[in-house]
């Protein structure tokens, strides 16, 4: 178990609930004698000085995110190379990743900061877009890398290679390449399977394919994925990383996606149960007499 001394706070913005939750969290951590620092959004709510993002990530040994899964995704990409565990306090909607209720902050954190927690590693992707030999840029993705039409309601045509082996050329609204974490996000709504977070796998899910025989495929996360835009169809597209950053694509461009060597560490309460999260968030029925 890790001993924590400096805790960093991330938060979402534009939410009236954030300030009260942050204040409760900040007061609790100070009372427990931790050093507390805050990134820009959280610092504004708490009326304290913010720390430069790079220094912030280097000086903390635990991060607590107040918000929804989107806020945690943003924090996760910043902390992926830092080996810093992340705790999520849920002020979002579904909250597959942020699993502590605002009403239980002091109770849950009291136990977790004393070493009563479950530590889980989650895999990430790194994707880079190319136009010929020129890199257009790249980014980390915690949930998914999505290739899709930019503006028009039209299909795009693209070819997929896995480990330099031809898979197919297809027409669709796009394709989702998701980690196990991202399998409950856009991938799921596109008809993809749910992957347990412990799997070393990636799922490729076509979005509204023209041919219904094009189905999701699950592969090893050691595989190298190359998706190229067909030159014969001049339709503008883009590649998105966790839905939070984009690179514009044209005919002939290609996107290379690989597993990122660093993993993100998520900290959960000791009684964390992934299947309970699925039942709760997806509304799966249960037998009341059994659970």
């Amino acid at each position: 178990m890790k001993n924590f001394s400096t805790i960093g706070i991330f938060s979402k913005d534009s939410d009236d609930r954030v300030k009260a939750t942050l204040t409760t969290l900040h007061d609790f951590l100070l009372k427990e004698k931790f050093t507390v620092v805050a990134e820009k959004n959280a610092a504004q709510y708490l009326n304290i000085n913010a720390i430069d993002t790079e220094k912030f990530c280097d000086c903390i040994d635990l991060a607590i995110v107040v918000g929804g899964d989107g806020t945690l995704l943003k924090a996760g990409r910043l902390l992926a190379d830092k080996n810093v565990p992340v705790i999520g306090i849920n002020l979002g909607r579904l909250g597959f990743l942020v699993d502590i209720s605002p009403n239980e902050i002091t109770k849950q954190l009291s136990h977790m900061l004393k070493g009563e927690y479950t530590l889980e590693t989650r895999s990430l992707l790194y994707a880079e877009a190319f136009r010929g030999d020129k890199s257009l840029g790249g980014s980390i993705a915690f949930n998914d890398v999505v290739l899709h039409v930019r503006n028009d309601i039209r299909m795009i045509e693209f070819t997929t290679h896995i480990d330099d082996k031809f898979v197919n050329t297809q027409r669709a609204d796009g394709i989702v390449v998701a980690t196990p974490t991202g399998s409950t996000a856009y991938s799921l709504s596109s008809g993809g399977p749910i992957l347990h977070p412990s799997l070393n796998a990636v799922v490729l899910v076509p979005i509204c394919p023209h041919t219904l025989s094009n189905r999701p495929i699950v592969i090893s996360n050691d595989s190298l994925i190359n998706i190229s835009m067909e030159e014969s169809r001049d339709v503008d597209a883009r590649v998105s990383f966790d839905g939070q950053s984009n690179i514009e694509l044209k005919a002939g461009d290609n996107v290379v996606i690989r597993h990122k060597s660093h993993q993100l560490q998520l900290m959960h309460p000791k009684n964390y149960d992934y299947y309970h999260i699925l039942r709760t968030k997806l509304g799966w029925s249960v037998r009341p007499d059994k659970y």
Side-chain angles (χ1 to χ4, degrees):
M1 297 295 179
K2 294 186 177 182
N3 293 318
F4 305 110
S5 59
T6 303
I7 298 177
I9 302 177
F10 288 83
S11 81
K12 66 186 300 185
D13 57 6
S14 303
D15 191 322
D16 294 337
R17 300 170 297 170
V18 169
K19 185 172 183 179
T21 302
L22 282 173
T23 301
T24 299
L25 173 63
H26 187 247
D27 291 349
F28 167 78
L29 293 175
L30 292 179
K31 181 180 178 181
E32 296 294 317
K33 308 302 183 184
F34 290 101
T35 299
V36 182
V37 296
E39 56 77 48
K40 182 178 67 174
N41 287 338
Q44 288 177 345
Y45 281 113
L46 293 169
N47 197 27
I48 61 176
N49 292 328
I51 296 181
D52 175 76
T53 300
E54 190 61 35
K55 293 179 180 179
F56 176 90
C57 293
D58 286 334
C59 77
I60 64 175
D61 45 37
L62 174 65
I64 299 179
V65 175
V66 178
D69 284 350
T71 311
L72 193 140
L73 291 175
K74 181 179 179 181
R77 288 198 300 275
L78 291 172
L79 296 168
D81 294 334
K82 306 297 183 180
N83 201 34
V84 174
V86 180
I87 296 174
I89 297 173
N90 188 14
L91 286 182
R93 297 183 183 90
L94 281 177
F96 281 99
L97 302 174
V98 283
D99 52 3
I100 294 179
S101 166
N103 299 325
E104 297 184 331
I105 290 176
T106 56
K107 177 182 177 181
Q108 296 278 25
L109 290 183
S110 292
H111 294 294
M112 295 175 73
L113 295 174
K114 292 176 182 176
E116 299 175 26
Y117 59 80
T118 297
L119 193 62
E120 178 186 44
T121 57
R122 297 287 184 104
S123 61
L124 300 96
L125 298 171
Y126 178 77
E128 189 171 6
F130 293 89
R131 184 164 296 154
D133 294 330
K134 178 184 177 182
S135 173
L136 302 176
S139 182
I140 298 170
F142 189 12
N143 262 355
D144 48 41
V145 177
V146 181
L147 181 69
H148 59 101
V149 179
R150 187 172 66 182
N151 292 316
D152 298 333
I153 304 176
R154 297 176 61 187
M155 289 187 175
I156 55 176
E157 189 169 355
F158 52 91
T159 295
T160 302
H161 286 82
I162 298 175
D163 294 328
D164 294 324
K165 295 181 174 61
F166 172 70
V167 178
N168 63 2
T169 297
Q170 61 180 303
R171 295 176 64 193
D173 286 359
I175 187 169
V176 181
V177 181
T179 64
T181 300
S183 71
T184 53
Y186 196 177
S187 171
L188 183 64
S189 66
S190 299
I194 295 174
L195 305 183
H196 192 277
S198 64
L199 291 175
N200 295 318
V202 176
V203 60
L204 286 71
V205 184
I207 305 169
C208 300
H210 182 261
T211 303
L212 295 180
S213 60
N214 281 335
R215 309 305 301 163
I217 179 172
V218 179
I219 62 174
S220 166
N221 68 358
D222 291 328
S223 299
L224 181 68
I225 303 165
N226 190 315
I227 302 174
S228 56
M229 299 286 297
E230 287 297 296
E231 295 186 6
S232 60
R233 288 183 64 84
D234 190 17
V235 177
D236 288 341
R238 64 168 41 136
V239 59
S240 300
F241 311 92
D242 288 340
Q244 297 185 348
S245 59
N246 308 285
I247 295 175
E248 308 302 330
L249 300 176
K250 295 182 178 180
D253 293 348
N254 68 293
V255 179
V256 179
I257 306 166
R258 55 172 53 87
H259 174 247
K260 183 173 172 57
S261 57
H262 289 87
Q263 295 183 309
L264 183 69
Q265 300 179 53
L266 291 184
M267 270 180 63
H268 304 290
K270 195 72 174 178
N271 62 351
Y272 173 76
D273 179 352
Y274 179 69
Y275 301 107
H276 172 74
I277 297 291
L278 291 181
R279 287 195 305 274
T280 302
K281 305 304 180 182
L282 299 178
W284 290 351
S285 60
V286 298
R287 286 173 51 188
D289 61 328
K290 189 173 180 61
Y291 298 98

